[in-house]
Amino acid sequence: MIRWKKPEVDMQNLPRHIGIIMDGNGRWAKRRGLPRSAGHARGADNFKKIVRFCGEIGIDYLTVYAFSTENWSRPKDEVEALMKLLSEYLEKAYKELDERVRVKIIGERQMLSPTLQKKVADLEKYTESRTGMVLNIALSYGGRQEILHAVDQIAAEVQNGSLAPEAITEETISDRIYTNGQPDPDLIIRPSGEKRISNFLLWQCAYSEFWYSDILWPDFSSKHLLAAIADYQKRNRRFGGV
Ligand code: IPE
Ligand code: IPE
Ligand code: MG
């Protein structure tokens, strides 16, 4: 048995905002001869564990990629299974979620069923005044679409005269994307062995540190999260300086 050496983490210097691409549920299930939906169910359980852990160690913002705009192209039964899990999560969150956590759903929510849209809005409203960790759930989310919406909005404001073209800055865009008012992610974690961004937080990841692992999302544990944080803490973030 390989003994796990506890990663050395400086708890006073945690990343403020962590993004996680929760990938690898399908392969996890396939390896066990199970349907992909079984992998998603395990992935959803793991998501709850990791959210709890991040809250406990004092992460301020956690953004998890649950469903991309491109994921709508998956087989209907898989999409349905994912939406069902999501719906169950939104219902159980009232009891199960740490009562300090504020939930925000980011993405093209008009693509969701009216029932789901209502559940999303209700949970957001219910947790709105909470002051603990902010949990952004990226759902029907695409980074390009998010930027496109900001551009649409800016164009409309320029046209109606409320925004002068020469007044457009980076902040003009940052203020019109889903994560407005939040710091950019310091660390982005992707399990499952893929080394790509898959349309996640494109504007926000300009200076994020990336951490990849072959571990599949249902097996990703608090130990892996600490390993990612420990690795992040060793990096020298230069932001273009020297
Ligand atoms: C991530 O797992 C969950 C979603 C994208 C909704 P996948 O379903 O992508 O799992 P793999 O990549 O096929 O293993
Ligand atoms: C990214 O995973 C989206 C989520 C984890 C929700 P995908 O499995 O959809 O990404 P690709 O297709 O491998 O790039
Ligand atoms: Mg995948």
Side-chain angles (χ1 to χ4, degrees):
M1 195 182 108
I2 301 167
R3 287 215 171 266
W4 178 274
K5 194 170 161 287
K6 200 166 182 290
E8 294 288 330
V9 172
D10 175 0
M11 288 298 179
Q12 306 314 316
N13 182 29
L14 292 171
R16 264 195 96 194
H17 185 169
I18 298 181
I20 306 182
I21 301 176
M22 304 189 291
D23 195 18
N25 297 346
R27 280 163 281 178
W28 183 93
K30 194 169 177 219
R31 281 182 197 175
R32 287 163 180 77
L34 297 169
R36 292 179 61 85
S37 58
H40 293 315
R42 282 300 280 269
D45 287 343
N46 200 43
F47 152 73
K48 292 182 206 167
K49 281 189 208 149
I50 296 295
V51 168
R52 202 176 312 128
F53 185 73
C54 285
E56 279 166 11
I57 63 172
I59 300 299
D60 290 338
Y61 297 87
L62 174 67
T63 302
V64 291
Y65 205 4
F67 193 87
S68 72
T69 43
E70 291 73 26
N71 289 149
W72 288 112
S73 69
R74 292 192 179 194
K76 194 166 165 270
D77 61 335
E78 181 168 350
V79 171
E80 275 171 9
L82 284 162
M83 292 301 143
K84 189 160 175 275
L85 282 169
L86 177 79
S87 172
E88 285 167 7
Y89 173 75
L90 294 169
E91 278 167 23
K92 289 186 184 156
Y94 292 90
K95 272 199 173 157
E96 292 183 0
L97 189 67
D98 182 317
E99 59 192 29
R100 287 163 297 185
V101 174
R102 175 175 180 182
V103 180
K104 207 170 139 65
I105 306 294
I106 62 170
E108 312 214 285
R109 60 176 76 198
Q110 73 284 2
M111 295 284 289
L112 304 173
S113 73
T115 323
L116 217 46
Q117 286 186 44
K118 168 119 184 21
K119 285 185 185 174
V120 158
D122 288 348
L123 185 64
E124 282 181 332
K125 184 109 192 80
Y126 187 77
T127 63
E128 198 176 44
S129 57
R130 294 179 174 180
T131 52
M133 183 173 79
V134 172
L135 170 63
N136 297 311
I137 305 178
L139 186 67
S140 188
Y141 173 89
R144 285 192 170 183
Q145 291 79 356
E146 180 181 39
I147 296 169
L148 186 61
H149 289 314
V151 172
D152 277 348
Q153 208 180 316
I154 291 166
E157 288 172 43
V158 167
Q159 201 167 32
N160 73 24
S162 61
L163 181 66
E166 59 276 13
I168 298 172
T169 62
E170 286 186 14
E171 278 66 45
T172 318
I173 296 174
S174 297
D175 290 348
R176 285 159 185 76
I177 56 178
Y178 298 124
T179 52
N180 71 75
Q182 301 185 14
D184 286 339
D186 302 292
L187 170 64
I188 293 183
I189 294 173
R190 182 164 195 163
S192 91
E194 310 301 348
K195 295 185 177 67
R196 54 178 170 257
I197 196 78
S198 301
N199 210 8
F200 187 49
L201 304 178
L202 295 186
W203 176 266
Q204 299 88 333
C205 78
Y207 271 102
S208 303
E209 296 293 331
F210 287 91
W211 190 85
Y212 301 101
S213 164
D214 286 341
I215 195 93
L216 301 173
W217 173 251
D219 295 326
F220 183 92
S221 68
S222 52
K223 287 181 208 161
H224 299 108
L225 189 93
L226 290 176
I229 295 175
D231 192 41
Y232 160 86
Q233 289 176 336
K234 287 192 208 116
R235 312 225 188 138
N236 180 4
R237 301 183 79 188
R238 283 185 288 273
F239 299 98
V242 285

